Amino acid sequence: MTRKVAFLFLGETLLIPHLYPIVEALAAAEPTLPIELWVSTSVHEALLARWSTGLGQVTIRRAPGFRALPGHAEGDNPPLPPKLPTLFRLLPHLLRTPVVVCAEQTSLWLPATLPLRTRFIDTFHGAGSMMARGHWRRRAGWRTLVAAERDRQALIDGGDAPERIVTTGYVKAAFRQRTPAARLFADPRPVILYTPHWQAHRSSWWRWGPRWSSASSPTGATI
């Protein structure tokens, strides 16, 4: 196999911040290591190409089924090509790659179903130990990167081999290309913005939130 590492940017754009900081860190640590970024749409391609300027060892490659989406808003989640067909058509390229890094479980169908020499590394893209759940497909990866020791222990308690789980810190916190924060409200007072989890079994909002949000504060203002 040729000495190189591939990163799979085949999923939603929200996964990019969970993966791209690893690209930058690896490029800085190994300046001569070839790094390939496989992308599924022109939205991914445009973002990664701009950020990777100056990283001479980084090459952006279009995955099979690549979709050109002219005029699509930058950063919006684009319509993606079907992921499993994309992965299996991409396989001949990945077979020549010693290490593949991904941020979603779908890509782990490859090592889970095929006897590959290629080593897959999966980085968690959730925050908090509630996201740290083992899965037979995830366990097919060579290594799993997690944000905290609590996450690591949750996976080990669920049956994962300790040597497979590596604590790296929260990768997204190192994402430098984020849009600068903008003021959401005209009122300059400090504002707490609460975003409940969209799955009801992972948030107390669905039990008490609607009643609380319609209540009145002591001043008579609606909360």
Side-chain angles (χ1 to χ4, degrees), residues 56-142:
Q57 77 269 48
V58 171
T59 303
I60 299 176
R61 301 196 182 280
R62 295 179 174 183
F66 174 89
R67 286 185 175 175
L69 302 167
H72 207 80
E74 183 178 278
D76 284 359
N77 192 45
L80 302 171
K83 195 176 293 183
L84 284 178
T86 295
L87 282 168
F88 282 100
R89 291 171 63 191
L90 185 56
L91 183 58
H93 302 281
L94 300 182
L95 289 176
R96 299 190 293 270
T97 304
V99 177
V100 174
V101 188
C102 61
E104 29 69 42
Q105 289 192 56
T106 307
S107 294
L108 297 177
W109 276 111
L110 293 180
T113 57
L114 298 170
L116 304 178
R117 292 173 58 198
T118 300
R119 290 177 168 179
F120 277 70
I121 297 176
D122 167 42
T123 178
F124 263 31
H125 60 268
S129 56
M130 73 173 185
M131 299 299 296
R133 303 187 309 276
H135 188 281
W136 67 271
R137 192 170 63 220
R138 174 164 275 150
R139 290 170 184 159
W142 178 61

Side-chain angles (χ1 to χ4, degrees), residues 127-156:
S129 56
M130 73 173 185
M131 299 299 296
R133 303 187 309 276
H135 188 281
W136 67 271
R137 192 170 63 220
R138 174 164 275 150
R139 290 170 184 159
W142 178 61
R143 292 289 186 272
T144 294
L145 311 182
V146 298
E149 281 298 316
R150 182 175 178 179
D151 303 333
R152 181 175 185 271
Q153 192 58 53
L155 286 176
I156 293 171

